[in-house]
Amino acid sequence: MYQIRDWLYVGKYSQTRNLLTLNQYGINAMLQLADYVPQENIETLFLNVDDGEPLPTGMIERGLQFLREQKAIPRPR
């Protein structure tokens, strides 16, 4: 997992499948682009993205809105 901000990480698909890893990093929400991987007690938005294909503007806006909403939720550190 790569920390981008104190509240934002980018991880590999395999890491989304490992609940222990997600819990170790304090992950509460995931924006998933590769495949839908539900995890208990983790809010998830899956956007079906194909490699090499342009993303529709609405899809980008939907992902950004999800990130903004998740960042706004007060969470213990």
Side-chain angles (χ1 to χ4, degrees):
M1 267 259 182
Y2 300 97
Q3 186 173 11
I4 307 302
R5 299 276 189 269
D6 63 340
W7 57 272
L8 181 65
Y9 290 83
V10 174
K12 298 177 182 180
Y13 169 74
S14 61
Q15 292 170 316
T16 67
R17 298 173 53 102
N18 187 327
L19 186 57
L20 180 60
T21 297
L22 297 172
N23 288 336
Q24 286 174 338
Y25 281 92
I27 303 300
N28 300 323
M30 293 188 288
L31 173 58
Q32 298 176 346
L33 306 175
D35 198 8
Y36 177 61
V37 181
Q39 291 289 4
E40 187 174 336
N41 298 319
I42 296 179
E43 185 74 25
T44 300
L45 173 63
F46 170 65
L47 299 177
N48 191 10
V49 173
D50 293 320
D51 287 345
E53 295 295 322
L55 298 177
T57 302
M59 185 180 287
I60 295 170
E61 291 170 357
R62 191 167 162 213
L64 289 172
Q65 183 61 32
F66 177 79
L67 293 176
R68 287 183 193 110
E69 290 168 359
Q70 294 304 314
K71 184 178 186 296
I73 297 172
R75 301 188 198 271
R77 299 229 173 222

